[in-house]
Amino acid sequence: MYVVYSESMLAPAPGSSPSAAKPRPVVAAWKALDPSLQCIEPLLVTRAQLALAHDRDFVDQVLDGRIANGFGSISAAVGQSLPYTSGAMLRAARLAIDDRSAVAAPVSGFHHAGWNFVGGYCTFNGLLVTAQVLKHEGRARRVGILDYDMHYGGIGSADIIQRLSLDWVTHTSAGAT
Ligand SMILES: [Zn+2]
């Protein structure tokens, strides 16, 4: 099985959430269970790709450190990791479609992020960025998002789906609203 991961997805864990540093121990734990896991490098999503799901000014302001990211900081290390985090999701989705296999990306920090706002340690919504890129490149006609976080995190995802009228995205959250 493929796992999309590299150290470029990591950032020092700021504040009270360890999310930005989590992929490393997660992948180490997975490899302990299955040493045959194959790690693949994430892509680096462009600002234009992020802007398929977000306000372009918001994207530029976050990446240029002019407004706070989802951790409430303007940390350059976090800013540099963000295009790789969404890029890991995109690479995993492309690979899953092209290879017709299950692919994992140990990423987090997506679902609270809306079109022009951060929230709950989420800066960019890599779920909707991935859905939009797949749609624009013709790889997908419809996209399903199953959100199995313990709480309802779909405020950000739902905001983007509604604002951009993405009626081809089916979004299901296991958490209560
Ligand atoms: Zn959440």
Side-chain angles (χ1 to χ4, degrees):
M1 182 171 163
Y2 295 115
V3 174
V4 182
Y5 168 74
S6 82
E7 303 258 314
S8 52
M9 292 154 59
L10 304 175
S16 57
S17 171
S19 296
K22 255 187 323 201
R24 181 188 285 141
V26 167
V27 170
W30 287 350
K31 281 203 158 178
L33 292 170
D34 181 0
S36 71
L37 282 183
Q38 268 186 278
C39 278
I40 293 184
E41 292 276 320
L43 299 165
L44 182 65
V45 294
T46 64
R47 292 185 182 211
Q49 287 173 322
L50 290 168
L52 289 173
H54 293 284
D55 174 39
R56 176 63 198 244
D57 284 342
F58 168 74
V59 170
D60 288 339
Q61 285 171 352
V62 168
L63 292 179
D64 294 341
R66 285 183 279 134
I67 59 171
N69 56 45
F71 295 95
S73 79
I74 53 167
S75 157
V78 171
Q80 283 163 14
S81 72
L82 295 170
Y84 288 104
T85 309
S86 284
M89 189 75 225
L90 175 59
R91 180 117 202 231
R94 277 185 181 160
L95 193 56
I97 291 170
D98 295 347
D99 197 54
R100 295 185 175 273
S101 65
V103 183
V107 288
S108 58
F110 290 156
H111 67 172
H112 297 289
W115 186 67
N116 62 354
F117 60 86
V118 303
Y121 309 114
C122 303
T123 307
F124 296 130
N125 198 312
L127 302 166
L128 271 306
V129 170
T130 294
Q132 280 281 62
V133 173
L134 294 177
K135 179 79 168 174
H136 279 250
E137 64 192 13
R139 267 194 172 87
R141 276 175 304 183
R142 299 187 59 79
V143 172
I145 297 173
L146 295 175
D147 187 332
Y148 273 89
D149 206 328
M150 294 290 285
H151 58 269
Y152 184 75
I155 292 167
S157 299
D159 174 68
I160 294 168
I161 291 168
Q162 188 181 354
R163 276 182 197 251
L164 303 181
S165 302
L166 307 181
D167 59 358
W168 46 270
V169 176
T170 302
H171 174 246
T172 304
S173 176
T177 54

